[in-house]
């Protein structure tokens, strides 16, 4: 059997004496979408940052395709085929759309002559249409498409997304989730941290609920039809 795309084993991350993530164990197979939901401060973003090497894990292990990457730098993790779309998008408003996309080339591992920007433009045609415009004039939804497109330019095997629907209008939220489904069809594995619990549960192969730094429940897509179950998971103590 192929190795899992990602394994977290009893992961623990602390800020001083405060545990941000505690004893977190999960497994993601290649090509899956797995969600992480939960209240603010539950440890969701910290989990992504630990995987990416942005914060240090005090205990446990992080394995990509069976190999431990705990303690590696973000640059090293990126070279293993992992890309992070951060919360808040963090695009450069004074740069053009195309210049923002080209920033993603720094983490690109392959040099096979393909057109990486073309892949982003295919998924998000509006980026091609506005490629000469300053990114700062784009709408919130378009900026989020740009942030995702920039990550895809690196041609990652795994995409980590931190609250991609934050601050977006309902139509833009739907567009982002449709894009994530299309990205999965391209064979990219996705770990999705989100505030939109129902959207996430419906989309993901399974969704883990973090409460107070610990995994409390795992939900299946069918659970999206039972909002009360999701609310109960958030309120678990």
């Amino acid at each position: 059997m192929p190795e899992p795309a990602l394994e977290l084993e009893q992961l623990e991350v602390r800020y001083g004496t405060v545990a941000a993530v505690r004893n977190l164990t999960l497994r993601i197979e290649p090509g899956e979408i797995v969600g992480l939901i939960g209240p603010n401060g539950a440890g969701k973003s910290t989990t992504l940052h630990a995987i990416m090497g942005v914060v240090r894990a005090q205990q446990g292990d992080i394995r990509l395709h069976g190999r431990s990457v705990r303690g590696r730098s973000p640059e090293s993790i990126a070279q293993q085929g992992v890309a992070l779309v951060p919360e808040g998008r963090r695009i450069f408003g004074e740069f053009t759309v195309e210049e923002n996309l080209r920033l993603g080339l720094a983490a690109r591992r392959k040099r096979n002559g393909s057109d990486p920007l073309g892949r982003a433009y295919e998924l998000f045609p509006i980026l091609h249409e506005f490629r000469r415009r300053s990114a700062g004039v784009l709408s919130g939804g378009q900026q989020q498409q740009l942030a995702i497109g920039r990550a895809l330019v690196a041609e990652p095997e795994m995409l980590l997304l931190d609250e991609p629907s934050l601050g977006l209008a309902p139509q833009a939220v739907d567009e982002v989730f449709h894009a994530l489904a299309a990205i999965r069809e391209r064979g990219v594995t996705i770990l999705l941290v989100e505030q939109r619990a129902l959207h996430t549960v419906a989309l993901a192969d399974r969704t883990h609920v973090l409460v107070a730094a610990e995994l409390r429940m795992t939900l299946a897509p069918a659970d999206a039809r039972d909002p009360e179950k999701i609310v109960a998971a958030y309120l678990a103590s």
Side-chain angles (χ1 to χ4, degrees):
M1 291 181 61
E3 295 284 355
L6 173 69
E7 289 178 286
L8 305 182
E9 183 178 357
Q10 295 185 324
L11 184 68
E12 182 165 323
V13 181
R14 294 191 300 272
Y15 297 121
T17 61
V18 178
V21 177
R22 191 164 42 232
N23 296 325
L24 177 59
T25 296
L26 60 83
R27 174 184 175 120
I28 305 177
E29 302 298 336
E32 286 189 319
I33 296 180
V34 171
L36 276 181
I37 62 174
N40 290 337
K44 307 183 299 298
S45 295
T46 297
T47 298
L48 297 189
H49 293 161
I51 295 168
M52 203 68 210
V54 177
V55 300
R56 185 171 65 91
Q58 280 74 30
Q59 294 184 30
D61 203 4
I62 302 165
R63 292 188 290 271
L64 297 173
H65 300 290
R67 296 184 177 181
S68 177
V69 295
R70 178 183 160 189
R72 299 273 190 91
S73 69
E75 293 78 12
S76 174
I77 302 299
Q79 288 300 313
Q80 298 298 311
V82 183
L84 172 66
V85 180
E87 180 182 344
R89 301 182 278 276
R90 300 184 191 176
I91 64 167
F92 294 89
E94 68 275 19
F95 291 1
T96 67
V97 167
E98 184 168 310
E99 287 168 341
N100 271 274
L101 289 174
R102 289 193 176 280
L103 292 173
L105 293 172
R108 190 180 181 215
R109 299 177 300 153
K110 302 175 183 177
R111 297 291 185 269
N112 56 11
S114 64
D115 179 12
L117 268 64
R119 293 168 61 88
Y121 290 147
E122 180 184 4
L123 184 63
F124 301 118
I126 195 68
L127 297 183
H128 184 265
E129 180 181 346
F130 291 169
R131 64 190 182 280
R132 309 292 186 209
R133 296 190 185 184
S134 296
V137 306
L138 300 181
S139 69
Q142 291 163 353
Q143 289 185 1
Q144 186 62 66
Q145 291 180 14
L146 178 55
I148 296 172
R150 181 178 57 192
L152 292 177
V153 163
E155 300 183 351
E157 296 178 6
M158 172 173 287
L159 196 59
L160 311 178
L161 296 109
D162 196 356
E163 304 279 15
S165 77
L166 186 65
L168 300 187
Q171 180 178 345
V173 171
D174 291 341
E175 290 172 352
V176 166
F177 275 83
H178 286 315
L180 297 183
I183 291 168
R184 170 169 53 184
E185 291 176 0
R186 295 181 174 190
V188 178
T189 306
I190 295 174
L191 179 57
L192 172 63
V193 164
E194 248 302 327
Q195 60 173 340
R196 308 264 181 176
L198 289 176
H199 280 74
T200 303
V201 173
L203 173 69
D205 293 282
R206 63 192 166 282
T207 299
H208 301 297
V209 184
L210 294 183
V211 177
E214 296 184 343
L215 193 156
R216 296 296 176 85
M217 183 180 293
T218 299
L219 302 170
D223 292 320
R225 298 192 294 268
D226 187 1
E228 291 185 0
K229 183 174 183 178
I230 297 173
V231 171
Y234 270 68
L235 298 177
S237 61

